[in-house]
Amino acid sequence: MSQRTPYRTGDQTLVREINLSLIMNRLLEHHSLSRADLAEVTGLNKSTVSSLIQNLLDYQIVREVGLSSSGVGRPSMLLELNPEAGYIVSCEIGVDTILIGCANFGAEIIWRYREDTRHRHGQQAIIERVLALLDEAIATGERLCRTCGGLLGIAIGVPGLVDHDTGTLLFAPNLGWQDVPLRAILQERFENVTVFVENEANMAALGEYFFGAARGCDEVLFISAGVGLGGALIRDGNLLHGATGFAGEFGHMTMDPDGALCNCGNQGCWETQVSQTALFRTIRHAIQSGRSSLLSASTGGDLDRLTVPLVVEAARAGDPVALYALEQVGHDLGIGIASLVNALNPELIVVGNILSLAGEFVLPAVEAELHRRALPWNANGMRIVPAQHGFEACVMGGVAIVYQAVLSQPGRILG
Amino acid sequence: MSQRTPYRTGDQTLVREINLSLIMNRLLEHHSLSRADLAEVTGLNKSTVSSLIQNLLDYQIVREVGLSSSGVGRPSMLLELNPEAGYIVSCEIGVDTILIGCANFGAEIIWRYREDTRHRHGQQAIIERVLALLDEAIATGERLCRTCGGLLGIAIGVPGLVDHDTGTLLFAPNLGWQDVPLRAILQERFENVTVFVENEANMAALGEYFFGAARGCDEVLFISAGVGLGGALIRDGNLLHGATGFAGEFGHMTMDPDGALCNCGNQGCWETQVSQTALFRTIRHAIQSGRSSLLSASTGGDLDRLTVPLVVEAARAGDPVALYALEQVGHDLGIGIASLVNALNPELIVVGNILSLAGEFVLPAVEAELHRRALPWNANGMRIVPAQHGFEACVMGGVAIVYQAVLSQPGRILG
DNA sequence: TATTAGTTGGTTGGGGCAACAAACAAAATA
DNA sequence: TATTTTGTTTGTTGCCCCAACCAACTAATA
């Protein structure tokens, strides 16, 4: 009997934690509620709610926003999460961009910035630029909202495998990075602030769950295609992390055992069929084999300058090559999604990044394959929707990840 | 504000429930512990442990089993779950067998029975036989152990999709059944007893988690090949059910978009490549195309009489056709497992049913494909093992499912 | 052998904390 | 003024924790 206990025992602080969390989550969900509403909605006793709210008011995490009369009886005092309770800084290190935002506790982005990084060379240069932008974001946050919590947390999303214990980016094939101790680097610069490092797709999924298309859904599959193909699964508000934190690498599922070589070393990964790279390759092949397309003109003849917005624009104009390529992506996406629907039985699928942009041309083919291949019991009643926050889903996810930490352990910021 | 609350609030009874559950789980895990050990292991206070144990002793769910001296100091009184605290009846309705068992609260099977159902025709006849066997199992349980709880629950495992709200078997392609309200049928016959109806693979996974090869693992992928291919995922002791309860249908993931037709209606399902049926088909093709095999003789020339034990026996004797067919299964199994490892990042994979029997010939090919195709970060440190309970995993799972209900809500049987 | 110190196991009683219930105060309408 | 709804106050209950204490054993010592 030597090991220290990993189990969380039940005690009073746990009870308080649970109920505080319950209340804050309901306030997030409904935006504003009275104490009486909260008692009704949570099932807690009126006096308990009052006590919890008093606690939150003391720390200015919640604020009273005015009376609301619902006909007869004493009017109620509406409560909401105080947007100025603190601020959150969230940053996505993409393959060729940095996206950064600063949000208040009302989850409104009060400052955002986007920068192309194609001209910057090397990991060192990019990380230094990120640090500088974080300084700027923090300065903005300090200026605009610091009632009690100040900076509540910094979140960094990266397109690769993250070791959650250490916050190290282990492997990012599309970025060409390996073993970068991101959390340690940031923690050194920003002491006493919690730093979250997470896979970009995981973050984006959380962003859509808290603030986007997946609000209120208990079983969400998120699929995000960009340079590569990433994904995540959310169950009851929590990411499925797997044993070592690398779950959700749907892009590296084998779809064709003898297929094209993938950056990961395997053959026929889903990512070789469904991604920006695959889309452009299909278009290039079609044009090179003599098919005419508006894209030849709109890229000025240089197909290396293809972008997803250009492809979507061409598709809108009825360009057959663009339509064909997008449908091909939808077809291959659909086969994989059907498999995942059978395996995981989600309630909702959210498609992100370029898929949210090209949804109108991709999703019909997806739906067709899905209903052809998935068990009807799994597929019926399930919806597929584009991400509400589009390319900003990841940054919103950084906000969400900090939010989640605060909401699930309100005690920590209550001192 | 009209809806009734679906949220569990925190209160004292929740705390008690959590701590009782903690203690019973530790007793299950270590088999016997003293109060002092429990305090150490759970992190609960000594006096709290004493109080909880007194409660469990009063209801004879736990019993004292004698002193144990660890050298110096006062000897401790060891405690264990009382095997006679009640009994559990568990039954698997397989494609061509019924397996049934009665277990005491020590999870020892005190009565078991297996019956071939190939001579019985029709759903009605089989269900009536199941009911009769359940009577017999209950009679045995009543005779051998009914201290406090009596019959703690009945569990039925079936090879198909189960609607958990109603306990209805919606679709069992390999059984040819559809929309059978199993729980309602049993509940009518056995009133005041909790009846659990669950997918066979889900149950088997739970059996291995509680009492078999997956004990203590937090992220377990279970893959079970029989007539079809089923599976399940266990996270922190709970089955992944998905939105409507149909998660884990890995057998119907598309592996070859233009492959063979599956019973489910789709093409190229994993189940068409990896299952008893697929194994036999490969062997039949090989022999029909002229390859010589020991199996021609051991089946008396009638390849319809192939069985998995015969194939394994032939493989042990070095028969090339048997070895080839098993390796082929391993190869296709490995490709799919690699995908699932990338998607779900399990800590352990347990292969069940015929795979546990043929493991020695199947697993090497699986490991080879796995390490060729899965991301090293996901695959390294992961183990693949055969199910410890082999063909009885499902029945053990029925015991586990009742156990889980009791352990997670000890309050219910404490009155 | 008898005594005493030391060690570990388990119980008892007091205190604190959080939720709950019921009575009550407050603020509106009819 | 009666009624309705909101929110607070007061007192109770249940559960865990802590610290002191009793219990049972070993080992050392006279």
Side-chain angles (χ1 to χ4, degrees):
Chain A
M1 298 301 118
S2 56
Q3 92 259 36
R4 222 35 265 131
T5 161
Y7 311 108
R8 167 102 202 223
T9 60
D11 60 8
Q12 319 274 39
T13 64
L14 175 70
V15 170
R16 193 71 169 180
E17 204 74 36
I18 288 173
N19 292 334
L20 276 170
S21 178
L22 208 49
I23 283 195
M24 291 180 72
N25 275 291
R26 296 296 73 74
L27 282 175
L28 171 62
E29 190 178 317
H30 295 101
H31 198 257
S32 80
L33 291 172
S34 69
R35 292 168 175 79
D37 294 338
L38 280 167
E40 170 96 2
V41 150
T42 59
L44 289 165
N45 189 280
K46 284 197 297 173
S47 54
T48 306
V49 170
S50 278
S51 154
L52 290 163
I53 287 293
Q54 192 50 55
N55 208 327
L56 293 169
L57 283 173
D58 289 344
Y59 284 88
Q60 302 182 54
I61 296 169
V62 158
R63 68 177 183 190
E64 299 185 323
V65 278
L67 293 169
S68 143
S69 173
S70 58
V72 70
R74 170 175 165 181
S76 53
M77 177 58 78
L78 291 181
L79 302 156
E80 66 172 26
L81 296 181
N82 181 2
E84 288 167 8
Y87 62 96
I88 295 165
V89 170
S90 173
C91 174
E92 173 183 4
I93 305 179
V95 173
D96 43 28
T97 65
I98 298 172
L99 254 118
I100 185 164
C102 178
N104 63 20
F105 200 64
E108 295 151 346
I109 304 275
I110 53 177
W111 180 80
R112 53 161 60 76
Y113 187 76
R114 184 198 156 112
E115 182 167 299
D116 201 295
T117 52
R118 263 171 293 196
H119 64 287
R120 288 185 196 274
H121 299 299
Q123 172 182 315
Q124 187 65 26
I126 290 179
I127 289 178
E128 268 168 24
R129 185 63 187 138
V130 167
L131 288 171
L133 287 170
L134 288 174
D135 280 332
E136 211 170 316
I138 290 170
T140 309
E142 287 294 318
R143 195 148 27 85
L144 297 180
C145 54
R146 47 157 309 128
T147 309
C148 74
L151 178 52
L152 297 168
I154 298 176
I156 309 284
V158 285
L161 302 181
V162 174
D163 177 50
H164 286 82
D165 293 336
T166 63
T168 300
L169 172 58
L170 293 178
F171 181 56
N174 295 321
L175 208 53
W177 293 11
Q178 210 153 343
D179 297 314
V180 186
L182 276 173
R183 187 159 72 210
I185 292 171
L186 296 201
Q187 208 68 264
E188 192 186 354
R189 175 87 153 242
F190 309 102
E191 290 169 22
N192 309 321
V193 179
T194 320
V195 175
F196 300 85
V197 180
E198 179 62 90
N199 172 275
E200 158 231 18
N202 279 352
M203 266 202 186
L206 224 41
E208 289 294 319
Y209 175 79
F210 268 83
F211 310 118
R215 245 172 300 192
C217 288
D218 283 337
E219 207 88 19
V220 185
L221 178 63
F222 181 80
I223 305 274
S224 155
V227 175
L229 182 67
L233 188 75
I234 294 188
R235 292 193 59 205
D236 299 328
N238 291 301
L239 283 170
L240 181 98
H241 267 127
T244 46
F246 312 140
E249 289 297 332
F250 305 133
H252 298 290
M253 295 173 71
T254 302
M255 289 294 152
D256 177 1
D258 306 310
L261 205 70
C262 177
N263 281 344
C264 77
N266 181 18
Q267 284 182 281
C269 289
W270 200 12
E271 173 168 314
T272 64
Q273 302 177 333
V274 180
S275 65
Q276 184 176 305
T277 322
L279 176 71
F280 293 170
R281 191 179 48 233
T282 307
I283 291 173
R284 232 177 274 126
H285 282 182
I287 293 181
Q288 277 161 9
S289 71
R291 295 182 63 176
S292 74
S293 164
L294 298 174
L295 287 165
S296 307
S298 59
T299 57
D302 178 5
L303 291 180
D304 285 344
R305 288 164 60 190
L306 271 175
T307 63
V308 175
L310 279 180
V311 176
V312 171
E313 186 191 318
R316 286 226 174 86
D319 180 66
V321 168
L323 286 170
Y324 162 76
L326 287 169
E327 197 196 320
Q328 186 60 43
V329 164
H331 175 263
D332 290 336
L333 186 61
I335 295 178
I337 284 184
S339 290
L340 287 175
V341 164
N342 282 339
L344 303 174
N345 185 208
E347 168 185 1
L348 174 76
I349 296 182
V350 179
V351 296
N353 210 332
I354 70 163
L355 298 176
S356 64
L357 199 69
E360 56 184 307
F361 302 107
V362 170
L363 292 186
V366 172
E367 298 266 4
E369 279 310 304
L370 179 67
H371 287 102
R372 195 157 92 77
R373 298 187 179 273
L375 297 168
W377 293 267
N378 289 46
N380 290 345
M382 199 203 62
R383 291 171 303 125
I384 307 186
V385 298
Q388 183 180 321
H389 291 288
F391 294 107
E392 267 195 346
C394 181
V395 168
M396 288 310 294
V399 178
I401 221 170
V402 177
Y403 238 81
Q404 187 179 46
V406 173
L407 293 206
S408 70
Q409 250 198 331
R412 250 193 2 202
I413 53 169
L414 295 186
Chain B
M1 296 300 117
S2 58
Q3 92 259 37
R4 228 20 275 130
T5 161
Y7 311 107
R8 167 99 201 225
T9 61
D11 60 7
Q12 319 275 33
T13 65
L14 175 70
V15 171
R16 192 71 170 181
E17 203 73 41
I18 288 173
N19 292 334
L20 276 169
S21 178
L22 209 49
I23 283 196
M24 291 180 74
N25 275 291
R26 296 296 73 74
L27 282 174
L28 171 63
E29 188 178 316
H30 295 102
H31 199 258
S32 79
L33 291 172
S34 69
R35 291 175 235 269
D37 293 338
L38 281 167
E40 170 97 2
V41 149
T42 58
L44 289 166
N45 191 280
K46 286 197 296 174
S47 55
T48 306
V49 170
S50 280
S51 154
L52 292 162
I53 287 294
Q54 192 50 55
N55 210 325
L56 293 169
L57 283 172
D58 289 345
Y59 283 88
Q60 301 181 52
I61 296 169
V62 158
R63 69 177 182 190
E64 300 186 321
V65 278
L67 294 169
S68 141
S69 172
S70 59
V72 71
R74 172 175 165 180
S76 54
M77 176 59 77
L78 291 181
L79 302 156
E80 65 172 28
L81 296 180
N82 181 2
E84 288 167 9
Y87 63 96
I88 295 163
V89 170
S90 173
C91 175
E92 172 183 4
I93 304 180
V95 173
D96 41 29
T97 65
I98 298 173
L99 254 117
I100 184 165
C102 178
N104 63 21
F105 200 64
E108 295 151 345
I109 304 275
I110 52 177
W111 179 80
R112 53 160 60 73
Y113 186 77
R114 185 198 156 110
E115 183 167 299
D116 201 295
T117 51
R118 262 170 293 199
H119 64 288
R120 289 186 197 274
H121 297 300
Q123 172 182 316
Q124 187 65 26
I126 289 179
I127 288 178
E128 268 166 24
R129 185 63 187 137
V130 166
L131 288 171
L133 286 170
L134 287 174
D135 280 331
E136 213 171 312
I138 289 170
T140 310
E142 287 293 320
R143 195 146 29 81
L144 298 180
C145 53
R146 47 159 307 129
T147 308
C148 72
L151 177 53
L152 297 168
I154 298 177
I156 309 284
V158 286
L161 301 181
V162 174
D163 176 48
H164 287 82
D165 292 336
T166 63
T168 300
L169 172 57
L170 293 178
F171 180 56
N174 296 318
L175 209 53
W177 293 11
Q178 212 153 342
D179 297 313
V180 186
L182 277 172
R183 187 161 71 209
I185 293 171
L186 297 201
Q187 208 69 263
E188 191 185 355
R189 175 87 153 242
F190 309 102
E191 290 169 20
N192 308 322
V193 179
T194 320
V195 175
F196 299 85
V197 180
E198 179 60 272
N199 171 275
E200 159 231 17
N202 278 352
M203 265 202 185
L206 224 42
E208 290 293 319
Y209 176 78
F210 269 84
F211 310 118
R215 245 173 300 192
C217 288
D218 284 336
E219 208 86 19
V220 184
L221 178 64
F222 182 79
I223 304 275
S224 154
V227 174
L229 182 67
L233 187 74
I234 295 189
R235 291 194 61 206
D236 299 330
N238 291 300
L239 283 171
L240 181 100
H241 268 126
T244 46
F246 311 140
E249 290 297 331
F250 305 132
H252 298 289
M253 294 172 72
T254 302
M255 290 293 154
D256 177 2
D258 306 311
L261 206 71
C262 177
N263 281 343
C264 77
N266 182 17
Q267 284 181 281
C269 287
W270 200 12
E271 174 168 315
T272 63
Q273 304 176 333
V274 179
S275 65
Q276 183 176 304
T277 322
L279 177 72
F280 293 170
R281 190 178 50 232
T282 306
I283 292 173
R284 232 178 273 125
H285 282 183
I287 292 180
Q288 279 162 6
S289 70
R291 295 181 63 177
S292 75
S293 164
L294 298 172
L295 288 165
S296 306
S298 59
T299 56
D302 179 5
L303 289 181
D304 284 346
R305 289 164 60 190
L306 270 176
T307 65
V308 175
L310 280 179
V311 176
V312 171
E313 186 191 318
R316 286 224 174 86
D319 180 68
V321 168
L323 286 170
Y324 164 75
L326 288 169
E327 199 197 315
Q328 187 60 44
V329 165
H331 175 263
D332 290 337
L333 186 60
I335 295 177
I337 283 184
S339 290
L340 288 175
V341 164
N342 282 340
L344 305 173
N345 185 210
E347 167 186 1
L348 174 77
I349 296 183
V350 180
V351 295
N353 212 328
I354 70 164
L355 297 177
S356 64
L357 199 68
E360 57 184 307
F361 302 108
V362 170
L363 292 186
V366 171
E367 297 267 5
E369 278 310 305
L370 179 67
H371 286 102
R372 195 158 92 76
R373 297 185 180 276
L375 296 168
W377 293 268
N378 289 46
N380 290 344
M382 200 204 60
R383 291 170 303 124
I384 307 186
V385 297
Q388 183 180 321
H389 291 288
F391 294 107
E392 269 197 343
C394 181
V395 168
M396 287 310 294
V399 178
I401 220 169
V402 177
Y403 238 82
Q404 187 179 46
V406 173
L407 294 206
S408 70
Q409 251 199 327
R412 250 192 2 203
I413 52 171
L414 294 184

